[in-house]
Amino acid sequence: AWYEDGKFGIFIHWGVYAVPAFSNEWYPRTMYIQGTPEYEHHIQTYGPHTEFGYKEFIPLFRAEHYDPAAWAELFDQAGARFVVPVAEHHDGFAMYNCSTSRWTAVQMGPQRDVVGELAQAVRSRGMVFGLSTHRAEHWWFMNGGRTFPSDVQDPAYADFYGPAIQHADCDGTQNNTPALDSQPYPSQEFLDDWLSRTCELVDLYQPQLVWFDWWIGHAAFAQHLQRFAAYYYNRGQEWGKGVAINYKYTAYAEGTAVLDIERGQLSDIRPLLWQNDTSVSNNSWCYVQEQEYKSAQALLQDLLDVVSKNGALLLNIGPRADGTIPEPEQAILRTIGRWLAINGEAIYSTRPWKIYGEGPTEVAAGAFTDTQRAPFTSADISFTCTANTLYALFLARPDTHATVRSLGTASTLLEGAITAVELLGSTAPLTWSVAQDGLDIQLPTGSHDESPCVFKIQFAPAHP
């Protein structure tokens, strides 16, 4: 229920990769792939990989200004209902108190239980706490370091750099990764370690959401995924808390966990709850020095579109290595929060209507599609509803009047008389009328805000 009602959460990519702050969070992989910009940057900035490997960034990851209470306050101000930090990314550095590794934020770098402190701060603000683990990808993630002299090949650091296994279908280029049936399969030892670490995260922090990246979909993980789900769901029942797993593609069977679509959307309503995870920037999930930020308006439009299709939005930020959240990201979150403070009743605890919306802009279904659509227009409308109330969310604010064509007398969607129409955030009475081609609403004068606007439309009982 918290998930279906909450709709909006914060994702946090924060780790050792924030120290070089170059390219993106895959720097620990690409710095070891010869010919990439990251490899050249590393040589020029830090020197040979035998002398300055990825592990040398750990002492520089001090998190000296990390204030989990301030983070939680910001997320609360943003209107978030759940918070999901990365507990361990592909690089293998645990941001939590992992009992089976020395490469943790508790023992190195910040020397703090980053995840545990944030869990406490988030819950003190009444938000739900979740976490992500990307441990599965560590099987091959650092394999570029096997192809030339580097510290990845030093046995003294094998427990950090991981198996770093070479795959025949992974040619070592920047974005090439092993397929989900790629050989060699992860070993039993690796799989058991994955399950042990993931279950320990559950026991330590009681997360109500566990987010997985795509490589758990590899054929070798199938039995372990089922075992984890059984363990986690049983633990949630013991705690008396609703819990959920996020997965991509087909890693879990339909209906057993919550589908997550990375940087992407759906073209229609999905009967089961789903999630879009995206970031405040186009080029990176973590902090980098040259960030390409999206606008708060575009992110709000994503939220409205996703919620109208029975989804939730998990919006990512990337703190600096010192623990501060970049000022542009704070501004984006506060702008979203101000909008939700006025219009949140059209988001929280709502459900999809008969159709997700109307308008000329087509939204492509699938991952990595959120930058491929044309800009939304004032004719693009998303719908959400509660008992006898329909919300028409205009993704771009109209100038003088708004038309909802789905509510015209000629529409088969209109069941019963409209009894009231109001603009959320405005006390001015509205002039409106229903004609064959739609509900026409005159906007109050002096309304020039470019952000989406919401009309609350009430019907006689038994609608919608």
Side-chain angles (χ1 to χ4, degrees), residues 358 403-411 433-440:
E358 64 179 58
T403 301
V404 185
R405 302 196 180 280
S406 299
L407 298 181
T409 56
S411 171
S433 61
V434 180
Q436 186 173 9
D437 62 349
L439 166 66
D440 187 80

Side-chain angles (χ1 to χ4, degrees), residues 59-218:
L60 305 177
F61 180 50
R62 293 186 285 269
E64 60 269 33
H65 299 303
Y66 173 46
D67 184 346
W71 283 23
E73 180 181 13
L74 174 63
F75 304 153
D76 193 19
Q77 291 173 354
R81 295 297 173 87
F82 53 102
V83 177
V84 183
V86 171
E88 181 180 339
H89 204 250
H90 312 331
D91 64 351
F93 187 78
M95 299 289 285
Y96 68 100
N97 192 20
C98 178
S99 66
T100 57
S101 175
R102 60 181 171 133
W103 302 93
T104 75
V106 176
Q107 297 189 47
M108 300 181 180
Q111 298 187 349
R112 297 170 65 175
D113 184 355
V114 169
V115 168
E117 290 182 31
L118 186 60
Q120 183 177 3
V122 162
R123 288 176 174 135
S124 71
R125 288 265 171 183
M127 294 176 284
V128 169
F129 183 77
L131 52 79
S132 79
T133 172
H134 310 236
R135 180 70 185 176
E137 289 78 9
H138 198 57
W139 172 250
W140 47 264
F141 195 65
M142 312 295 275
N143 61 15
R146 301 282 191 206
T147 63
F148 68 97
S150 80
D151 61 333
V152 173
Q153 300 181 49
D154 190 333
Y157 309 112
D159 57 338
F160 178 44
Y161 290 123
I165 297 297
Q166 299 286 4
H167 281 244
D169 63 340
C170 182
D171 60 15
T173 55
Q174 183 167 357
N175 295 315
N176 187 248
T177 58
L180 296 181
D181 59 354
S182 180
Q183 299 281 354
Y185 276 26
S187 66
Q188 190 67 39
E189 180 184 8
F190 182 84
L191 292 168
D192 290 346
D193 178 72
W194 174 88
L195 181 61
S196 174
R197 286 179 183 238
T198 312
C199 289
E200 183 177 49
L201 279 167
V202 167
D203 292 339
L204 285 174
Y205 305 109
Q206 296 192 12
Q208 289 181 253
L209 187 66
V210 173
W211 188 102
F212 290 121
D213 216 335
W214 87 104
W215 219 65
I216 61 162
H218 189 279

Side-chain angles (χ1 to χ4, degrees), residues 34 58 122 135 145 183 236 263 285 341 345 357 370 422 428:
Q34 297 178 83
I58 295 174
V122 162
R135 180 70 185 176
Q183 299 281 354
R263 290 190 184 272
W285 292 81
E345 69 173 89
D370 63 357
E422 63 180 282

Side-chain angles (χ1 to χ4, degrees), residues 229-343:
Y231 183 82
Y232 181 40
Y233 293 162
N234 284 336
R235 292 291 277 150
Q237 188 173 37
E238 291 171 18
W239 305 330
K241 297 179 179 179
V243 300
I245 294 170
N246 284 151
Y247 71 98
K248 295 181 178 179
Y249 306 113
T250 58
Y252 274 96
E254 181 85 350
T256 65
V258 177
L259 175 67
D260 179 90
I261 300 176
E262 181 173 341
R263 290 190 184 272
Q265 290 152 298
L266 294 179
S267 57
D268 207 341
I269 296 171
R270 186 174 191 266
L272 296 174
L273 178 70
W274 64 283
Q275 181 174 271
N276 168 11
D277 73 292
T278 193
S279 187
V280 293
S281 68
N282 287 314
N283 57 315
S284 177
W285 292 81
C286 77
Y287 170 72
V288 293
Q289 294 177 12
E290 309 215 353
Q291 202 73 280
E292 299 171 10
Y293 285 116
K294 301 174 184 177
S295 69
Q297 179 176 350
L299 292 166
L300 278 170
Q301 290 171 334
D302 285 343
L303 174 64
L304 273 52
D305 181 68
V306 166
V307 170
S308 73
K309 296 170 181 173
N310 203 28
L313 179 68
L314 184 61
L315 180 62
N316 178 76
I317 63 163
R320 300 184 183 98
D322 67 1
T324 57
I325 296 174
E327 290 72 20
E329 301 183 20
Q330 293 187 43
I332 288 171
L333 293 184
R334 290 194 173 98
T335 298
I336 292 172
R338 286 192 293 270
W339 189 91
L340 284 169
I342 295 170
N343 301 285

